[in-house]
Coordinates of all heavy atoms in Angstrom, one line a residue:
K123 N 18.8 -24.1 -23.5 CA 17.7 -23.5 -22.8 C 18.2 -22.6 -21.8 O 19.2 -22.8 -21.1 CB 16.9 -24.6 -22.2 CG 15.6 -24.1 -21.6 CD 14.5 -25.1 -21.6 CE 13.3 -24.5 -21.1 NZ 12.1 -25.0 -21.7
A124 N 17.6 -21.4 -21.7 CA 18.0 -20.4 -20.7 C 17.7 -20.9 -19.3 O 16.8 -21.6 -19.0 CB 17.3 -19.1 -21.0
H125 N 18.5 -20.3 -18.4 CA 18.4 -20.7 -17.0 C 17.9 -19.4 -16.2 O 18.6 -18.5 -16.0 CB 19.7 -21.1 -16.4 CG 20.3 -22.3 -17.1 ND1 19.8 -23.6 -16.9 CD2 21.3 -22.4 -18.1 CE1 20.5 -24.4 -17.7 NE2 21.4 -23.7 -18.4
L126 N 16.7 -19.5 -15.8 CA 16.1 -18.4 -15.0 C 15.9 -18.8 -13.5 O 15.3 -18.1 -12.8 CB 14.8 -17.9 -15.6 CG 15.0 -17.0 -16.9 CD1 13.6 -16.7 -17.4 CD2 15.8 -15.8 -16.6
R127 N 16.4 -19.9 -13.2 CA 16.2 -20.3 -11.7 C 17.1 -19.4 -10.9 O 18.1 -18.9 -11.3 CB 16.6 -21.8 -11.6 CG 15.6 -22.7 -12.3 CD 16.0 -24.1 -12.0 NE 17.3 -24.4 -12.4 CZ 17.6 -24.8 -13.7 NH1 16.7 -24.9 -14.6 NH2 18.9 -25.1 -14.0
Q128 N 16.8 -19.3 -9.6 CA 17.5 -18.4 -8.7 C 18.6 -19.2 -8.1 O 18.6 -20.4 -7.9 CB 16.6 -17.9 -7.7 CG 15.5 -17.0 -8.3 CD 14.4 -16.8 -7.3 OE1 14.3 -17.3 -6.2 NE2 13.4 -15.9 -7.7
R129 N 19.7 -18.4 -7.7 CA 20.8 -19.0 -7.0 C 20.4 -19.4 -5.6 O 21.0 -20.3 -5.0 CB 22.0 -18.1 -7.0 CG 22.6 -17.8 -8.3 CD 23.9 -17.2 -8.3 NE 23.8 -15.8 -8.0 CZ 24.9 -15.0 -8.1 NH1 26.1 -15.5 -8.3 NH2 24.8 -13.7 -7.9
G130 N 19.5 -18.6 -5.0 CA 19.1 -18.8 -3.6 C 17.8 -18.1 -3.4 O 17.3 -17.4 -4.4
P131 N 17.2 -18.1 -2.3 CA 16.0 -17.4 -2.0 C 16.2 -15.9 -2.1 O 17.1 -15.4 -1.7 CB 15.6 -17.9 -0.6 CG 16.8 -18.4 0.0 CD 17.7 -18.8 -1.1
V132 N 15.2 -15.3 -2.8 CA 15.2 -13.8 -2.9 C 14.7 -13.3 -1.6 O 13.6 -13.6 -1.1 CB 14.4 -13.3 -4.1 CG1 14.3 -11.8 -4.1 CG2 14.9 -13.9 -5.4
T133 N 15.5 -12.4 -1.0 CA 15.1 -11.8 0.3 C 14.8 -10.3 0.3 O 14.3 -9.8 1.2 CB 16.2 -12.1 1.3 OG1 17.4 -11.5 0.9 CG2 16.4 -13.6 1.5
R134 N 15.1 -9.7 -0.9 CA 14.8 -8.2 -1.0 C 13.4 -8.0 -1.3 O 12.7 -8.7 -2.1 CB 15.6 -7.7 -2.2 CG 17.1 -7.6 -1.9 CD 17.7 -7.1 -3.1 NE 17.7 -8.1 -4.2 CZ 18.5 -8.1 -5.2 NH1 19.4 -7.2 -5.4 NH2 18.5 -9.1 -6.1
P135 N 12.8 -6.9 -0.7 CA 11.5 -6.4 -1.1 C 11.5 -5.9 -2.5 O 12.6 -5.5 -3.0 CB 11.2 -5.3 -0.1 CG 12.2 -5.4 1.0 CD 13.4 -6.1 0.4
L136 N 10.4 -6.0 -3.2 CA 10.3 -5.6 -4.6 C 10.8 -4.2 -4.8 O 11.5 -3.9 -5.7 CB 8.9 -5.8 -5.1 CG 8.6 -5.4 -6.6 CD1 9.5 -6.2 -7.5 CD2 7.2 -5.5 -6.9
A137 N 10.4 -3.2 -4.0 CA 10.8 -1.8 -4.1 C 12.3 -1.7 -4.0 O 12.9 -0.9 -4.8 CB 10.1 -1.0 -3.0
Q138 N 12.9 -2.4 -3.2 CA 14.4 -2.4 -3.0 C 15.0 -2.9 -4.3 O 16.0 -2.4 -4.8 CB 14.9 -3.1 -1.8 CG 16.4 -3.1 -1.7 CD 16.9 -4.0 -0.5 OE1 16.1 -4.6 0.2 NE2 18.2 -4.1 -0.4
A139 N 14.5 -4.0 -4.8 CA 15.1 -4.7 -6.0 C 14.9 -3.7 -7.2 O 15.9 -3.6 -8.0 CB 14.3 -6.0 -6.3
E140 N 13.8 -3.0 -7.3 CA 13.6 -2.1 -8.4 C 14.6 -0.9 -8.3 O 15.1 -0.5 -9.3 CB 12.2 -1.6 -8.4 CG 11.2 -2.7 -8.9 CD 9.7 -2.3 -8.9 OE1 9.4 -1.4 -8.1 OE2 8.9 -2.9 -9.6
R141 N 14.8 -0.4 -7.1 CA 15.8 0.7 -6.9 C 17.2 0.3 -7.3 O 17.9 1.0 -8.0 CB 15.8 1.2 -5.5 CG 14.6 2.1 -5.1 CD 14.8 2.8 -3.7 NE 15.1 1.8 -2.7 CZ 14.1 1.2 -1.9 NH1 12.9 1.5 -2.2 NH2 14.5 0.4 -1.0
E142 N 17.6 -0.9 -6.9 CA 18.9 -1.4 -7.2 C 19.0 -1.6 -8.8 O 20.0 -1.3 -9.4 CB 19.2 -2.7 -6.5 CG 19.3 -2.5 -5.0 CD 19.5 -3.8 -4.3 OE1 19.6 -4.9 -4.9 OE2 19.4 -3.8 -3.0
M143 N 17.9 -2.2 -9.4 CA 18.0 -2.4 -10.8 C 18.0 -1.1 -11.6 O 18.7 -1.0 -12.6 CB 16.8 -3.2 -11.2 CG 16.8 -4.6 -10.7 SD 18.2 -5.6 -11.3 CE 17.5 -6.1 -12.9
M144 N 17.4 -0.1 -11.1 CA 17.4 1.2 -11.8 C 18.9 1.8 -11.7 O 19.4 2.3 -12.7 CB 16.5 2.2 -11.2 CG 15.0 2.0 -11.5 SD 14.7 2.0 -13.3 CE 15.1 3.6 -13.8
R145 N 19.6 1.6 -10.6 CA 21.0 2.1 -10.5 C 21.8 1.3 -11.5 O 22.7 1.8 -12.2 CB 21.5 1.9 -9.1 CG 21.0 3.0 -8.2 CD 21.8 3.0 -6.9 NE 21.7 1.8 -6.1 CZ 20.8 1.5 -5.2 NH1 19.8 2.4 -4.9 NH2 20.8 0.3 -4.6
L146 N 21.6 0.0 -11.6 CA 22.3 -0.9 -12.6 C 22.0 -0.5 -14.0 O 22.9 -0.4 -14.8 CB 22.0 -2.4 -12.3 CG 22.5 -2.9 -11.0 CD1 22.0 -4.4 -10.8 CD2 24.0 -2.9 -10.8
K147 N 20.8 -0.2 -14.3 CA 20.4 0.2 -15.6 C 21.1 1.5 -16.0 O 21.6 1.7 -17.1 CB 18.9 0.4 -15.8 CG 18.6 0.7 -17.2 CD 17.1 0.7 -17.5 CE 17.0 1.1 -19.0 NZ 15.7 1.5 -19.4
E148 N 21.2 2.5 -15.1 CA 21.9 3.7 -15.3 C 23.4 3.4 -15.6 O 24.0 4.0 -16.5 CB 21.8 4.7 -14.2 CG 20.4 5.2 -14.0 CD 20.2 6.0 -12.7 OE1 21.1 6.2 -11.9 OE2 19.0 6.3 -12.4
A149 N 24.0 2.6 -14.9 CA 25.4 2.2 -15.1 C 25.6 1.5 -16.5 O 26.5 1.8 -17.2 CB 25.9 1.3 -14.0
L150 N 24.6 0.7 -16.8 CA 24.7 0.0 -18.1 C 24.5 0.9 -19.3 O 25.1 0.7 -20.4 CB 23.7 -1.2 -18.2 CG 24.1 -2.4 -17.3 CD1 22.9 -3.3 -17.2 CD2 25.3 -3.1 -17.9
A151 N 23.7 1.9 -19.1 CA 23.4 2.9 -20.2 C 24.7 3.7 -20.5 O 25.0 4.0 -21.6 CB 22.3 3.9 -19.8
K152 N 25.6 3.9 -19.5 CA 26.9 4.5 -19.7 C 27.9 3.6 -20.2 O 28.7 4.0 -21.0 CB 27.4 5.1 -18.3 CG 26.5 6.2 -17.8 CD 27.0 6.7 -16.4 CE 26.0 7.7 -15.8 NZ 26.3 8.0 -14.4
D153 N 27.9 2.3 -19.9 CA 28.9 1.4 -20.3 C 28.3 0.0 -20.4 O 28.4 -0.8 -19.5 CB 30.1 1.4 -19.4 CG 31.2 0.5 -19.9 OD1 31.1 -0.1 -21.0 OD2 32.2 0.4 -19.2
P154 N 27.6 -0.3 -21.6 CA 26.9 -1.6 -21.7 C 27.9 -2.8 -21.7 O 27.5 -3.9 -21.4 CB 26.3 -1.5 -23.1 CG 26.3 -0.1 -23.5 CD 27.4 0.6 -22.7
S155 N 29.2 -2.6 -21.9 CA 30.1 -3.7 -21.8 C 30.3 -4.3 -20.4 O 30.9 -5.3 -20.2 CB 31.5 -3.3 -22.4 OG 32.1 -2.4 -21.5
Q156 N 29.7 -3.6 -19.4 CA 29.8 -4.1 -18.0 C 28.7 -5.1 -17.6 O 28.6 -5.5 -16.5 CB 29.8 -2.9 -17.1 CG 31.0 -1.9 -17.3 CD 32.3 -2.6 -16.9 OE1 32.5 -3.1 -15.8 NE2 33.2 -2.7 -17.9
F157 N 27.8 -5.4 -18.6 CA 26.7 -6.3 -18.3 C 27.1 -7.5 -17.5 O 26.5 -7.8 -16.5 CB 25.9 -6.6 -19.5 CG 24.5 -7.2 -19.2 CD1 23.4 -6.4 -19.2 CD2 24.4 -8.6 -19.0 CE1 22.2 -7.0 -18.9 CE2 23.2 -9.1 -18.7 CZ 22.0 -8.3 -18.7
H158 N 28.1 -8.2 -18.0 CA 28.5 -9.5 -17.4 C 29.0 -9.3 -16.0 O 28.8 -10.1 -15.1 CB 29.4 -10.3 -18.3 CG 30.8 -9.6 -18.5 ND1 30.9 -8.5 -19.3 CD2 32.0 -9.9 -18.0 CE1 32.2 -8.1 -19.3 NE2 32.9 -9.0 -18.5
I159 N 29.7 -8.2 -15.8 CA 30.3 -7.9 -14.5 C 29.2 -7.6 -13.5 O 29.2 -8.2 -12.4 CB 31.3 -6.8 -14.6 CG1 32.5 -7.2 -15.5 CG2 31.8 -6.3 -13.2 CD1 33.4 -6.1 -15.9
L160 N 28.3 -6.8 -13.9 CA 27.2 -6.4 -13.0 C 26.3 -7.6 -12.8 O 25.7 -7.8 -11.6 CB 26.4 -5.2 -13.6 CG 27.3 -3.9 -13.6 CD1 26.5 -2.8 -14.3 CD2 27.7 -3.5 -12.3
A161 N 26.0 -8.4 -13.8 CA 25.2 -9.6 -13.6 C 25.8 -10.6 -12.6 O 25.1 -11.1 -11.7 CB 25.0 -10.3 -14.9
R162 N 27.1 -10.8 -12.7 CA 27.7 -11.7 -11.8 C 27.7 -11.2 -10.3 O 27.4 -11.9 -9.4 CB 29.2 -11.9 -12.2 CG 29.9 -12.9 -11.2 CD 31.3 -13.3 -11.7 NE 31.2 -14.2 -12.9 CZ 31.6 -13.8 -14.1 NH1 32.1 -12.6 -14.3 NH2 31.4 -14.6 -15.1
K163 N 27.8 -9.9 -10.2 CA 27.8 -9.3 -8.8 C 26.5 -9.2 -8.2 O 26.3 -9.4 -7.0 CB 28.5 -7.9 -8.9 CG 28.7 -7.3 -7.6 CD 29.4 -6.0 -7.7 CE 29.6 -5.3 -6.4 NZ 30.4 -4.1 -6.5
H164 N 25.4 -8.9 -9.0 CA 24.1 -8.5 -8.5 C 23.0 -9.5 -8.7 O 22.0 -9.5 -8.0 CB 23.7 -7.1 -9.0 CG 24.7 -6.0 -8.6 ND1 24.7 -5.5 -7.3 CD2 25.6 -5.4 -9.3 CE1 25.7 -4.6 -7.3 NE2 26.2 -4.5 -8.4
S165 N 23.1 -10.3 -9.8 CA 22.0 -11.1 -10.2 C 21.8 -12.3 -9.2 O 22.8 -12.9 -8.7 CB 22.2 -11.6 -11.6 OG 21.1 -12.5 -12.0
E166 N 20.5 -12.7 -9.0 CA 20.2 -13.9 -8.3 C 19.8 -15.0 -9.2 O 19.3 -16.0 -8.8 CB 19.1 -13.5 -7.3 CG 19.6 -12.6 -6.2 CD 18.5 -12.1 -5.3 OE1 17.3 -12.3 -5.6 OE2 18.8 -11.6 -4.2
C167 N 20.0 -14.8 -10.5 CA 19.7 -15.8 -11.5 C 20.9 -16.7 -11.7 O 22.1 -16.3 -11.7 CB 19.4 -15.1 -12.8 SG 19.0 -16.1 -14.2
E168 N 20.6 -18.0 -12.0 CA 21.7 -19.0 -12.2 C 22.6 -18.6 -13.4 O 23.8 -18.9 -13.5 CB 21.1 -20.3 -12.5 CG 21.7 -21.4 -11.7 CD 21.0 -22.7 -12.0 OE1 21.0 -23.2 -13.1 OE2 20.5 -23.3 -11.0
S169 N 22.1 -17.8 -14.4 CA 22.8 -17.4 -15.5 C 24.0 -16.6 -15.1 O 25.0 -16.5 -15.8 CB 22.0 -16.7 -16.5 OG 21.6 -15.4 -16.0
A170 N 24.0 -15.9 -14.0 CA 25.1 -15.1 -13.5 C 26.3 -15.9 -13.1 O 27.4 -15.3 -13.0 CB 24.6 -14.2 -12.3
L171 N 26.1 -17.2 -13.0 CA 27.2 -18.1 -12.6 C 28.1 -18.5 -13.7 O 29.1 -19.2 -13.5 CB 26.7 -19.3 -11.8 CG 25.9 -18.9 -10.5 CD1 25.3 -20.2 -9.9 CD2 26.8 -18.2 -9.5
Q172 N 27.7 -18.2 -15.0 CA 28.4 -18.7 -16.1 C 29.8 -18.0 -16.2 O 29.9 -16.9 -15.7 CB 27.6 -18.4 -17.4 CG 26.3 -19.2 -17.5 CD 25.6 -18.9 -18.7 OE1 25.8 -19.7 -19.7 NE2 24.8 -17.9 -18.8
P173 N 30.8 -18.6 -16.8 CA 32.1 -18.1 -16.7 C 32.3 -16.9 -17.7 O 31.6 -16.7 -18.6 CB 33.0 -19.3 -17.2 CG 32.1 -20.1 -18.1 CD 30.7 -19.9 -17.4
G174 N 33.3 -16.1 -17.3 CA 33.8 -14.9 -18.2 C 32.6 -14.0 -18.6 O 31.8 -13.6 -17.8
Q175 N 32.7 -13.6 -19.8 CA 31.7 -12.7 -20.4 C 30.3 -13.3 -20.6 O 29.4 -12.6 -21.1 CB 32.2 -12.0 -21.6 CG 33.4 -11.1 -21.3 CD 33.9 -10.4 -22.5 OE1 33.5 -10.6 -23.7 NE2 34.7 -9.4 -22.3
M176 N 30.2 -14.5 -20.3 CA 28.9 -15.2 -20.4 C 27.9 -15.0 -19.2 O 26.8 -15.3 -19.3 CB 29.0 -16.7 -20.6 CG 29.8 -17.1 -21.9 SD 28.9 -16.5 -23.4 CE 27.5 -17.6 -23.4
A177 N 28.5 -14.4 -18.2 CA 27.6 -14.2 -17.0 C 26.4 -13.3 -17.3 O 26.5 -12.3 -18.0 CB 28.4 -13.5 -15.9
G178 N 25.3 -13.8 -16.9 CA 24.0 -13.2 -17.2 C 23.4 -13.5 -18.6 O 22.3 -13.0 -18.9
D179 N 24.1 -14.3 -19.4 CA 23.7 -14.6 -20.7 C 22.6 -15.7 -20.7 O 22.8 -16.7 -20.2 CB 24.9 -15.1 -21.6 CG 24.6 -15.2 -23.1 OD1 23.4 -15.5 -23.4 OD2 25.5 -15.0 -23.9
L180 N 21.4 -15.4 -21.3 CA 20.3 -16.3 -21.3 C 20.4 -17.3 -22.5 O 19.6 -18.1 -22.7 CB 19.0 -15.6 -21.3 CG 18.7 -14.7 -20.0 CD1 17.4 -14.0 -20.2 CD2 18.7 -15.6 -18.8
G181 N 21.4 -17.1 -23.3 CA 21.5 -17.9 -24.5 C 20.5 -17.4 -25.6 O 20.0 -16.3 -25.5
W182 N 20.3 -18.2 -26.6 CA 19.4 -17.9 -27.7 C 18.0 -17.9 -27.2 O 17.6 -18.9 -26.6 CB 19.6 -18.8 -28.9 CG 20.8 -18.6 -29.6 CD1 22.0 -19.4 -29.5 CD2 21.2 -17.6 -30.5 NE1 23.0 -18.9 -30.3 CE2 22.5 -17.7 -30.9 CE3 20.4 -16.5 -31.0 CZ2 23.1 -16.9 -31.8 CZ3 21.1 -15.6 -31.9 CH2 22.4 -15.8 -32.3
V183 N 17.3 -16.8 -27.3 CA 15.9 -16.7 -26.8 C 14.9 -16.9 -27.9 O 15.1 -16.3 -29.0 CB 15.7 -15.4 -26.1 CG1 14.2 -15.3 -25.6 CG2 16.6 -15.2 -24.9
Y184 N 14.0 -17.8 -27.8 CA 12.9 -18.0 -28.7 C 11.6 -18.3 -27.9 O 11.7 -18.5 -26.7 CB 13.3 -19.1 -29.7 CG 13.7 -20.4 -29.0 CD1 12.7 -21.4 -28.6 CD2 15.0 -20.6 -28.6 CE1 13.1 -22.5 -28.0 CE2 15.4 -21.8 -28.0 CZ 14.4 -22.7 -27.6 OH 14.8 -23.8 -27.0
R185 N 10.5 -18.2 -28.6 CA 9.3 -18.4 -27.9 C 9.3 -19.8 -27.3 O 9.5 -20.8 -27.9 CB 8.1 -18.2 -28.9 CG 7.8 -16.8 -29.1 CD 6.8 -16.5 -30.3 NE 6.7 -15.1 -30.6 CZ 7.6 -14.4 -31.3 NH1 8.7 -15.0 -31.8 NH2 7.4 -13.1 -31.5
G186 N 9.0 -19.8 -26.0 CA 9.0 -21.1 -25.2 C 10.3 -21.4 -24.5 O 10.4 -22.3 -23.7
S187 N 11.4 -20.6 -24.8 CA 12.7 -21.0 -24.3 C 12.9 -20.6 -22.8 O 13.7 -21.2 -22.1 CB 13.8 -20.4 -25.1 OG 13.8 -18.9 -25.0
L188 N 12.2 -19.5 -22.3 CA 12.4 -19.1 -21.0 C 11.3 -19.5 -20.0 O 11.5 -19.4 -18.8 CB 12.5 -17.5 -20.9 CG 13.6 -16.9 -21.8 CD1 13.5 -15.4 -21.7 CD2 15.0 -17.4 -21.3
G189 N 10.2 -20.0 -20.6 CA 9.1 -20.4 -19.7 C 8.3 -19.2 -19.2 O 7.6 -19.3 -18.3
D190 N 8.6 -18.0 -19.8 CA 7.9 -16.8 -19.4 C 7.6 -16.0 -20.7 O 8.5 -15.3 -21.2 CB 8.8 -16.0 -18.5 CG 8.2 -14.7 -17.9 OD1 7.3 -14.2 -18.6 OD2 8.5 -14.3 -16.8
P191 N 6.4 -16.1 -21.2 CA 6.1 -15.4 -22.5 C 6.3 -13.9 -22.5 O 6.8 -13.4 -23.5 CB 4.6 -15.8 -22.7 CG 4.4 -17.0 -21.9 CD 5.3 -16.9 -20.7
A192 N 6.1 -13.3 -21.4 CA 6.3 -11.8 -21.4 C 7.7 -11.5 -21.5 O 8.1 -10.5 -22.2 CB 5.7 -11.2 -20.1
L193 N 8.6 -12.2 -20.8 CA 10.0 -11.9 -20.9 C 10.6 -12.3 -22.2 O 11.4 -11.6 -22.8 CB 10.7 -12.7 -19.8 CG 12.2 -12.4 -19.5 CD1 12.4 -10.9 -19.1 CD2 12.7 -13.3 -18.3
E194 N 10.1 -13.4 -22.8 CA 10.5 -13.8 -24.2 C 10.1 -12.7 -25.2 O 10.9 -12.3 -26.0 CB 9.8 -15.1 -24.6 CG 10.3 -16.3 -23.7 CD 9.4 -17.5 -23.8 OE1 8.4 -17.5 -24.5 OE2 9.8 -18.4 -23.1
E195 N 8.9 -12.2 -25.1 CA 8.5 -11.1 -26.0 C 9.3 -9.9 -25.9 O 9.6 -9.2 -26.8 CB 7.0 -10.8 -25.9 CG 6.1 -11.9 -26.4 CD 6.3 -12.3 -27.8 OE1 6.4 -11.4 -28.7 OE2 6.4 -13.5 -28.1
L196 N 9.6 -9.5 -24.6 CA 10.4 -8.4 -24.4 C 11.8 -8.6 -25.1 O 12.3 -7.7 -25.8 CB 10.7 -8.2 -22.9 CG 11.7 -7.1 -22.5 CD1 11.1 -5.7 -22.5 CD2 12.4 -7.4 -21.2
A197 N 12.4 -9.7 -24.8 CA 13.8 -9.9 -25.4 C 13.7 -10.0 -26.9 O 14.6 -9.4 -27.6 CB 14.3 -11.3 -24.9
L198 N 12.7 -10.6 -27.5 CA 12.6 -10.7 -28.9 C 12.3 -9.3 -29.6 O 12.5 -9.1 -30.8 CB 11.6 -11.8 -29.3 CG 12.0 -13.2 -28.9 CD1 10.8 -14.1 -29.1 CD2 13.2 -13.6 -29.7
G199 N 11.6 -8.4 -28.8 CA 11.2 -7.2 -29.3 C 12.3 -6.1 -29.3 O 12.2 -5.0 -29.9
L200 N 13.4 -6.4 -28.6 CA 14.5 -5.4 -28.5 C 15.3 -5.4 -29.8 O 15.5 -6.4 -30.5 CB 15.5 -5.8 -27.4 CG 14.9 -5.7 -26.0 CD1 15.9 -6.3 -25.0 CD2 14.6 -4.3 -25.6
D201 N 15.9 -4.2 -30.1 CA 16.9 -4.2 -31.2 C 18.2 -4.7 -30.7 O 18.5 -4.7 -29.5 CB 17.0 -2.7 -31.7 CG 15.8 -2.2 -32.4 OD1 15.1 -2.9 -33.0 OD2 15.6 -0.9 -32.3
V202 N 19.1 -5.1 -31.7 CA 20.4 -5.6 -31.3 C 21.1 -4.4 -30.5 O 21.1 -3.3 -30.9 CB 21.2 -6.0 -32.5 CG1 22.7 -6.3 -32.2 CG2 20.5 -7.2 -33.2
N203 N 21.7 -4.8 -29.4 CA 22.5 -3.9 -28.5 C 21.6 -3.0 -27.6 O 22.0 -2.2 -26.9 CB 23.5 -3.1 -29.2 CG 24.6 -4.0 -29.8 OD1 25.1 -4.9 -29.1 ND2 25.0 -3.6 -31.0
E204 N 20.2 -3.2 -27.7 CA 19.3 -2.4 -27.0 C 19.2 -3.0 -25.5 O 19.2 -4.2 -25.3 CB 17.9 -2.4 -27.6 CG 16.9 -1.5 -26.9 CD 15.6 -1.4 -27.6 OE1 15.4 -2.1 -28.6 OE2 14.7 -0.7 -27.1
L205 N 19.0 -2.1 -24.6 CA 18.8 -2.4 -23.2 C 17.4 -2.2 -22.8 O 16.8 -1.1 -23.2 CB 19.7 -1.5 -22.3 CG 19.9 -1.8 -20.9 CD1 20.7 -3.1 -20.7 CD2 20.7 -0.7 -20.2
S206 N 16.8 -3.1 -22.2 CA 15.3 -3.0 -21.9 C 15.1 -2.1 -20.7 O 16.0 -1.8 -19.9 CB 14.8 -4.4 -21.5 OG 15.2 -4.8 -20.3
D207 N 13.8 -1.8 -20.5 CA 13.4 -1.2 -19.3 C 13.3 -2.3 -18.2 O 13.5 -3.5 -18.6 CB 12.0 -0.5 -19.4 CG 12.0 0.7 -20.3 OD1 13.1 1.5 -20.2 OD2 11.1 1.0 -21.0
L208 N 13.0 -2.0 -17.0 CA 12.9 -3.0 -16.0 C 11.6 -3.8 -16.3 O 10.6 -3.3 -16.8 CB 12.7 -2.4 -14.6 CG 13.8 -1.6 -14.1 CD1 13.5 -1.2 -12.6 CD2 15.2 -2.3 -14.2
I209 N 11.7 -5.1 -16.1 CA 10.5 -6.0 -16.3 C 10.3 -6.8 -15.0 O 11.3 -7.4 -14.6 CB 10.5 -6.8 -17.6 CG1 9.3 -7.7 -17.7 CG2 11.8 -7.7 -17.6 CD1 9.1 -8.4 -19.0
N210 N 9.1 -6.8 -14.5 CA 8.8 -7.7 -13.4 C 8.2 -9.0 -13.9 O 7.4 -9.0 -14.8 CB 7.8 -7.0 -12.4 CG 8.4 -5.8 -11.8 OD1 9.6 -5.7 -11.4 ND2 7.6 -4.8 -11.6
S211 N 8.7 -10.1 -13.2 CA 8.1 -11.4 -13.6 C 8.0 -12.1 -12.2 O 8.5 -11.6 -11.2 CB 9.1 -12.1 -14.5 OG 10.1 -12.8 -13.8
P212 N 7.4 -13.3 -12.3 CA 7.3 -14.1 -11.0 C 8.6 -14.4 -10.4 O 8.8 -14.7 -9.3 CB 6.5 -15.3 -11.5 CG 5.7 -14.9 -12.6 CD 6.6 -13.9 -13.4
R213 N 9.7 -14.4 -11.3 CA 11.0 -14.7 -10.8 C 11.8 -13.5 -10.3 O 12.9 -13.6 -9.8 CB 11.8 -15.3 -11.9 CG 11.2 -16.7 -12.4 CD 12.1 -17.2 -13.5 NE 11.6 -18.5 -13.9 CZ 10.9 -18.8 -15.0 NH1 10.7 -17.8 -15.8 NH2 10.5 -20.0 -15.3
G214 N 11.3 -12.3 -10.5 CA 12.0 -11.1 -10.0 C 11.9 -9.9 -11.0 O 11.1 -9.9 -11.8
V215 N 12.9 -9.1 -10.9 CA 13.0 -7.9 -11.7 C 14.2 -8.1 -12.6 O 15.3 -8.5 -12.2 CB 13.2 -6.6 -10.8 CG1 13.2 -5.4 -11.7 CG2 12.1 -6.5 -9.8
H216 N 14.0 -7.8 -13.9 CA 15.0 -8.1 -14.9 C 15.4 -6.9 -15.7 O 14.5 -6.0 -16.0 CB 14.5 -9.2 -15.8 CG 14.0 -10.4 -15.2 ND1 14.7 -11.4 -14.7 CD2 12.7 -10.7 -14.9 CE1 13.9 -12.3 -14.1 NE2 12.7 -11.9 -14.2
I217 N 16.6 -6.9 -16.2 CA 17.0 -6.0 -17.3 C 17.6 -6.9 -18.4 O 18.4 -7.8 -18.1 CB 18.2 -5.0 -16.9 CG1 17.7 -4.1 -15.8 CG2 18.7 -4.2 -18.1 CD1 18.8 -3.3 -15.2
V218 N 17.2 -6.7 -19.6 CA 17.6 -7.6 -20.7 C 18.4 -6.7 -21.7 O 18.0 -5.6 -22.0 CB 16.4 -8.2 -21.4 CG1 16.9 -9.1 -22.6 CG2 15.6 -9.1 -20.4
Q219 N 19.5 -7.2 -22.1 CA 20.3 -6.6 -23.2 C 20.4 -7.6 -24.3 O 20.9 -8.7 -24.1 CB 21.7 -6.2 -22.7 CG 22.5 -5.5 -23.8 CD 23.8 -5.0 -23.2 OE1 24.4 -5.6 -22.3 NE2 24.4 -4.0 -23.8
R220 N 20.0 -7.2 -25.5 CA 20.0 -8.1 -26.7 C 21.4 -7.9 -27.4 O 21.8 -6.8 -27.7 CB 18.9 -7.8 -27.6 CG 18.9 -8.7 -28.8 CD 17.7 -8.5 -29.7 NE 17.7 -9.5 -30.8 CZ 16.8 -9.6 -31.7 NH1 15.7 -8.9 -31.5 NH2 16.9 -10.5 -32.7
Y221 N 22.1 -9.0 -27.6 CA 23.4 -8.9 -28.3 C 23.3 -9.3 -29.8 O 24.2 -8.9 -30.5 CB 24.4 -9.9 -27.6 CG 24.8 -9.4 -26.3 CD1 24.4 -10.0 -25.1 CD2 25.7 -8.3 -26.2 CE1 24.9 -9.5 -23.9 CE2 26.1 -7.8 -25.0 CZ 25.7 -8.4 -23.9 OH 26.1 -8.0 -22.7
A222 N 22.4 -10.1 -30.2 CA 22.3 -10.6 -31.6 C 20.9 -10.7 -32.0 O 20.0 -10.6 -31.3 CB 23.0 -11.9 -31.7

């Protein structure tokens, strides 16, 4: 099951989080292989604490696995290796990259 809990309380305003995420998305568009590095450095999600190249990995996503139907549909609707637009959820602002 994917881990979308936060590492700690989110203290950034939404507008600041969206600006930061847009900068990260631009960096990922240039070099998608940096996802795990950027996730570990910037994410407030528990998934960022996973070791090595697993940082930021939500695992296999299926309906009901994340507890957030909109985020699940976004992830399932991406093509392999596609990077999502920003998505806002009750847990924050996300970028999803589909690997398989």
